[in-house]
Amino acid sequence: MNKADILLDIKNLTTSFRIKDDYFAAVDDVTLTLRKNEVLAIVGESGCGKSTLATSIVGLHNPDDTKTEGEIIYHKKNLVAMTDEQFNNVRGAEIGFIFQDPLSALNPLMRIEQQIEESLIYHTKLNKDARHKRVIELLEQVGIPNPQRTAKQFPHQLSGGMRQRVMIAIALSCKPAVIIADEPTTALDVTIQAQILDLLKELQTETEAGIILITHDLGVVAEIADRVAVMYAGQVIEEAPVNELFTNPKHPYTRSLLNSIPQMNVEGEKLNVIHGIVPSLKNLPRTGCRFSSRVPWLDTSSHEQEPRMHEVAPDHYVRCTCWQTFRFEEESDVV
Ligand SMILES: Nc1ncnc2c1ncn2[C@@H]1O[C@H](COP(=O)(O)OP(=O)(O)O)[C@@H](O)[C@H]1O
Ligand code: SF4
Ligand SMILES: [Mg+2]
């Protein structure tokens, strides 16, 4: 990989929340890169640390109860070490973000035009007329049919899909190099989901931005991602180009996630799916393989104490000692 193509270089990022007097890592030693012009999907079950990773990148944690360590390098600067004031210049302008619930992110009392304008006032020197032109242009760009009318409306007057388009317009307003989208289509119905994903992909191609798309939906990943990082219990456990991940998954957890997609299984049966849930933050095992409690039939005594990332193919990494020999319980008798 060409180093010049790296937009965000996340190194050993650990974000811990305070619970009573102790800190517990929700993102634990994550190393990842986002490259120019790509959609990097982050997938994993609820509670595995995806949103914490997103909010760490956009610096939205309260330092009173959250500790962030490691580095997020953007244009040779470490975002983790920035003051709030420095971060305010990067957030929104160079790194845009889109969250799951546009209604709670939008101000109910402000017209759409004002909300998009706010970011332009903060980050650009455009005058009133130029800002209005840009607002209309952005609303057009995100496929809003009557931009002049929508600009004058309040959030509650718009449908969920239209509100998410407005959020995308705000995220794009300053032409960011990086966009972080956390479950941007989860709250929308399926047809609208597809439209919003198409829009994101189209905008990404046009603007050459790098997008980190967080989702628990592998259908979304298949549709739009170039590369995928799978998270489990705060760690990245597998990383690969999208086709490689879907055709040649190695980690037991990734294989289980893929097996649980009904349409990938012709008989409609969910075979070789590992049951259980992501442990809560306080109860996460901090030593040994985090996944071992979900594969109780395995004798893990010979597995690496702290499984490291193994390169199994070009650009394909897996955090599992026995990726070559792992078998599901149903497969155990098969020689
Ligand atoms: N502000 C917080 N304080 C304490 N624990 C938190 C906080 N935010 C998230 N967590 C915990 O951190 C873990 C990861 O959460 P999150 O990043 O939201 O996961 P995901 O987005 O993958 O569902 C969960 O166990 C969650 O309960
Ligand atoms: S290292 Fe061992 S316990 Fe961990 S995921 Fe791999 S097979 Fe399972
Ligand atoms: Mg989340």
Side-chain angles (χ1 to χ4, degrees), residues 48-115:
C48 68
K50 304 180 300 293
S51 292
T52 306
L53 176 64
T55 41
S56 301
I57 298 170
V58 285
L60 289 179
H61 286 135
N62 176 358
D64 293 339
D65 61 18
T66 312
K67 210 160 55 180
T68 309
E69 296 153 291
E71 294 178 0
I72 304 172
I73 307 292
Y74 171 75
H75 278 189
K76 299 191 176 144
K77 283 177 285 190
N78 181 10
L79 302 182
V80 173
M82 280 188 181
T83 62
D84 273 353
E85 205 185 344
Q86 290 168 324
F87 221 131
N88 283 340
N89 292 323
V90 177
R91 191 191 302 124
E94 292 172 71
I95 304 181
F97 51 92
I98 305 163
F99 291 125
Q100 179 178 339
D101 178 10
L103 201 53
S104 66
L106 291 168
N107 183 335
L109 304 175
M110 270 166 81
R111 294 180 197 278
I112 300 302
E113 167 140 24
Q114 279 174 286
Q115 313 212 29

Side-chain angles (χ1 to χ4, degrees), residues 159-316:
S159 67
M162 286 295 149
R163 285 196 286 260
Q164 196 54 299
R165 284 172 195 267
V166 169
M167 281 308 296
I168 296 173
I170 295 174
L172 289 176
S173 59
C174 299
K175 303 186 177 142
V178 174
I179 296 172
I180 314 287
D182 188 1
E183 310 260 10
T185 59
T186 305
L188 305 172
D189 70 48
V190 179
T191 338
I192 311 291
Q193 268 189 24
Q195 290 172 6
I196 297 284
L197 288 176
D198 287 346
L199 171 68
L200 271 179
K201 185 72 194 167
E202 203 181 288
L203 294 172
Q204 188 265 333
T205 315
E206 258 170 48
T207 60
E208 303 202 327
I211 299 186
I212 294 187
L213 176 76
I214 292 177
T215 176
H216 62 267
D217 184 340
L218 286 160
V220 168
V221 174
E223 185 147 334
I224 180 174
D226 299 304
R227 238 162 21 99
V228 190
V230 183
M231 280 184 80
Y232 183 78
Q235 296 182 315
V236 173
I237 52 94
E238 186 153 10
E239 195 190 319
V242 68
N243 289 337
E244 168 78 6
L245 191 95
F246 275 87
T247 54
N248 194 21
K250 290 298 184 202
H251 196 285
Y253 180 62
T254 314
R255 292 181 52 190
S256 169
L257 276 183
L258 290 170
N259 286 339
S260 64
I261 310 178
Q263 62 270 31
M264 291 194 66
N265 191 314
V266 268
E267 283 102 40
E269 247 183 287
K270 295 181 179 180
L271 286 173
N272 298 333
V273 172
I274 297 168
H275 298 283
I277 50 163
V278 183
S280 75
L281 203 50
K282 271 177 91 166
N283 298 324
L284 270 190
R286 300 287 168 184
T287 53
C289 176
R290 306 270 168 103
F291 201 64
S292 56
S293 64
R294 290 184 64 176
V295 286
W297 69 89
L298 284 185
D299 172 12
T300 53
S301 53
S302 61
H303 300 188
E304 274 169 300
Q305 192 37 242
E306 286 294 337
R308 62 191 167 81
M309 284 297 229
H310 298 264
E311 185 165 12
V312 303
D315 237 14
H316 182 177

